[in-house]
Amino acid sequence: MAKCPNCNAKLHFWNVKAECPHCHINIPNHNWEQRLEEDAQNREESFFKLNSNLQMLKYAVIGTPWRLIRLICSVLPLIGFLLPMVFVVGKSGEGEFSLLLMFTGNKDLFSPEHLTEAFKWGSPAEQGLLRALIPALCALLLAVIAFFLVFLLFKHPKSMAIVILHALSLVAYTCGVLLANQTFQSNPNGSLLFGVFLGIAAFALVFLLDIVLLILPVKSEDLRYIPKDELQWDYAISTGNFTNEEFSAWQQRKEEAAKAKG
């Protein structure tokens, strides 16, 4: 049951008029100035939180040259899976193989049906290759997760989760390469191609960049969003995000910029 905002009297469903039957104030217009101020405060609070998150996201992704380089290099291992990785001679023919694209003159050699059957009665080279693909697929999955964690963990620019995932992806990919190389050493019907070596280099590069970002300090001012107007400053000061001295410095810079334009 509703109550009058002025006298706190109970209002029944038959009280359909805008005025309170007890104190006769206009309920929709009651205390409208305070409600407008509260709406303005809530709006500035939402803008400040949104812009603060955007500032942290920008810093975590491209806030420094090292972070921009890390973002670009995080895509390189994924591109490496498009390159020719191994050359295999199988029962259905021969051709170059990559994880995401097939470079072969014999379309049946790496068809889904043949890959499935190769687990059972394929050549030793084919079976060894398929076993080596398992850790390579794990590396691909870990690299994709680590890439998106850069965006999801933007509030933690020094998150160890990204470093651990990149380290595990490097280890998994290297294990896949070693398994494939071991297979081809014992069976001449296959060989490693340049794609796997570029893949190892790309995974190692991203991991080293993660280590660099862990070592480099994060400046607190780079993570802070600077309010653009006095209402946002009022909210930022009331929540303890900024001090009155910082607000005075902002006002001084604003006045100096206005004089310079004038």
Side-chain angles (χ1 to χ4, degrees):
M1 187 176 294
K3 293 184 179 181
C4 174
N6 183 52
C7 64
N8 207 32
K10 291 183 179 181
L11 300 176
H12 302 280
F13 67 91
W14 57 80
N15 300 130
V16 295
K17 293 184 178 180
E19 291 78 15
C20 174
H22 305 281
C23 63
H24 305 290
I25 60 101
N26 189 289
I27 296 176
N29 294 329
H30 175 70
N31 207 13
W32 63 272
E33 292 182 351
Q34 181 180 352
R35 295 205 307 272
L36 284 178
E37 292 179 0
E38 291 176 353
D39 290 341
Q41 184 73 8
N42 293 334
R43 184 180 65 252
E44 295 305 325
E45 176 183 354
S46 299
F47 279 132
F48 183 82
K49 290 181 178 179
L50 174 62
N51 289 323
S52 296
N53 288 333
L54 290 177
Q55 175 64 25
M56 288 188 287
L57 175 62
K58 178 182 177 182
Y59 176 82
V61 179
I62 57 172
T64 63
W66 284 108
R67 293 187 177 275
L68 178 59
I69 294 172
R70 196 268 300 273
L71 179 67
I72 297 173
C73 292
S74 296
V75 185
L76 295 182
L78 309 181
I79 297 177
F81 285 97
L82 300 174
L83 302 176
M85 302 172 71
V86 294
F87 178 83
V88 182
V89 178
K91 290 186 176 181
S92 300
E94 61 182 30
E96 296 177 354
F97 174 77
S98 71
L99 192 60
L100 301 182
L101 294 178
M102 307 301 177
F103 300 89
T104 177
N106 189 333
K107 296 182 179 180
D108 294 332
L109 178 61
F110 299 115
S111 64
E113 295 80 5
H114 181 73
L115 289 175
T116 302
E117 295 174 354
F119 272 112
K120 298 181 179 179
W121 53 75
S123 67
E126 289 175 301
Q127 291 182 343
L129 172 61
L130 291 175
R131 286 193 295 269
L133 285 179
I134 295 175
L137 286 171
C138 292
L140 175 61
L141 177 62
L142 292 171
V144 171
I145 295 175
F147 177 80
F148 286 106
L149 281 185
V150 174
F151 298 87
L152 296 177
L153 300 179
F154 65 91
K155 293 185 178 180
H156 308 282
K158 283 196 172 188
S159 174
M160 283 295 298
I162 300 174
V163 182
I164 293 173
L165 286 177
H166 279 146
L168 292 176
S169 63
L170 173 60
V171 172
Y173 190 84
T174 305
C175 289
V177 174
L178 293 176
L179 286 173
N181 185 56
Q182 182 181 9
T183 299
F184 297 149
Q185 283 182 348
S186 59
N187 191 297
N189 293 330
S191 61
L192 298 177
L193 297 178
F194 69 93
V196 295
F197 303 108
L198 292 179
I200 292 178
F203 277 109
L205 176 61
V206 176
F207 176 67
L208 290 177
L209 289 172
D210 287 336
I211 300 300
V212 171
L213 292 177
L214 279 179
I215 297 174
L216 293 177
V218 176
K219 298 180 181 180
S220 59
E221 56 267 22
D222 293 334
L223 299 175
R224 303 174 76 190
Y225 163 71
I226 305 300
K228 304 300 182 183
D229 54 53
E230 295 187 4
L231 284 177
Q232 288 188 7
W233 272 103
D234 291 340
Y235 171 76
I237 294 173
S238 66
T239 55
N241 290 285
F242 287 88
T243 63
N244 290 317
E245 290 76 13
E246 290 173 318
F247 174 62
S248 300
W250 174 78
Q251 283 185 317
Q252 184 177 357
R253 291 193 300 269
K254 184 178 179 181
E255 293 173 359
E256 292 174 354
K259 291 180 181 179
K261 289 182 179 180

